[in-house]
Amino acid sequence: GAVVSQHPSRVICKSGTSVKIECRSLDFQATTMFWYRQFPKKSLMLMATSNEGSKATYEQGVEKDKFLINHASLTLSTLTVTSAHPEDSSFYICSAPTGIEQYFGPGTRLTVT
Amino acid sequence: EDQVTQSPEALRLQEGESSSLNCSYTVSGLRGLFWYRQDPGKGPEFLFTLYSAGEEKEKERLKATLTKKESFLHITAPKPEDSATYLCAVQAWGDYKLSFGAGTTVTVRA
């Protein structure tokens, strides 16, 4: 199967700071990538669709100015959590499609203190 | 709006005790139904894609089946390493988005 990586795997930051998470497709190109958020013992909630060369599409209720997405190339999308607060603490996961299947990264655990 | 409901929420099995997980769905034109396995603290791992009613796919001790309203994931003679959360998701035609169910957490005791 296709491989998607994320960096960092874990990050702890102080309230009010910004954090950048990278998502890379290692062995294929992806014009579209997806960012999900997962709370403990809950399923994945789609936050936004990252589009190479154009603006991201955000799901209803997701703050565009708080969760900045940049799809810099056909293999890289970044999610920046701006002015993070404790309620932003969560598990963030990206995915990229190859054909019909979507492959997921290993996830990033964000803790805001 | 696409909806996916998985049952049961949790399943505790003895090693070797076969069982099935259910995924009921409503979608405006099914493009694909997907099964993923997720271990704690990790991203979902792709297992199967099913496209049309009557289709079946197998991988080791797992077998996925599909009808027009639901999908089943059968676990035959499970081992402790099959312990994980199994997620079901659907994708509609004309959309890349996946709609996920809440998952079934399977625990297999030796």
Side-chain angles (χ1 to χ4, degrees):
Chain A
V3 180
V4 177
S5 70
Q6 276 184 249
H7 178 81
S9 58
R10 290 177 178 272
V11 58
I12 300 173
C13 70
K14 293 190 175 182
S15 188
T17 63
S18 295
V19 174
K20 181 184 285 188
I21 302 170
E22 292 186 349
C23 175
R24 293 181 185 273
S25 55
L26 297 186
D27 52 0
F28 65 102
Q29 294 182 333
T31 55
T32 301
M33 292 184 177
F34 300 91
W35 287 96
Y36 293 83
R37 184 172 180 176
Q38 188 174 35
F39 291 101
K41 300 190 184 297
K42 298 292 184 183
S43 193
L44 282 74
M45 296 282 294
L46 179 65
M47 298 174 62
T49 302
S50 174
N51 304 298
E52 192 269 336
S54 64
K55 291 183 179 180
T57 305
Y58 291 83
E59 295 300 299
Q60 193 171 11
V62 177
E63 297 177 61
K64 300 178 183 181
D65 294 334
K66 170 168 261 316
F67 299 101
L68 300 180
I69 290 173
N70 182 31
H71 201 130
S73 73
L74 290 173
T75 59
L76 173 64
S77 175
T78 60
L79 169 68
T80 301
V81 183
T82 63
S83 187
H85 290 286
E87 56 265 31
D88 298 323
S89 298
S90 192
F91 192 52
Y92 293 88
I93 314 174
C94 70
S95 74
T98 170
I100 189 174
E101 279 92 20
Q102 282 193 30
Y103 291 87
F104 286 80
T108 297
R109 172 73 60 192
L110 170 63
T111 303
V112 184
T113 60
Chain B
E1 185 179 328
D2 302 339
Q3 285 198 321
V4 181
T5 304
Q6 291 187 246
S7 62
E9 185 176 320
L11 190 61
R12 293 176 64 85
L13 301 171
Q14 199 67 35
E15 184 172 5
E17 178 188 2
S18 301
S19 189
S20 295
L21 286 56
N22 178 265
C23 170
S24 298
Y25 66 92
T26 55
V27 63
S28 55
L30 180 70
R31 184 182 186 201
L33 183 142
F34 306 86
W35 283 98
Y36 288 88
R37 169 192 170 127
Q38 186 175 27
D39 293 304
K42 297 189 177 180
E45 174 190 344
F46 173 77
L47 293 174
F48 304 109
T49 306
L50 300 168
Y51 297 97
S52 57
E55 189 175 3
E56 298 183 352
K57 289 197 175 172
E58 286 188 68
K59 180 180 180 180
E60 297 181 355
R61 294 176 294 281
L62 301 177
K63 179 180 176 180
T65 61
L66 181 66
T67 72
K68 289 186 177 180
K69 294 184 178 180
E70 57 190 351
S71 176
F72 292 93
L73 184 66
H74 307 278
I75 308 179
T76 302
K79 298 181 177 181
E81 53 262 41
D82 295 322
S83 297
T85 295
Y86 292 86
L87 298 169
C88 172
V90 297
Q91 186 182 73
W93 279 105
D95 199 349
Y96 267 124
K97 295 179 188 178
L98 294 181
S99 297
F100 278 89
T104 294
T105 299
V106 175
T107 304
V108 183
R109 297 165 290 174

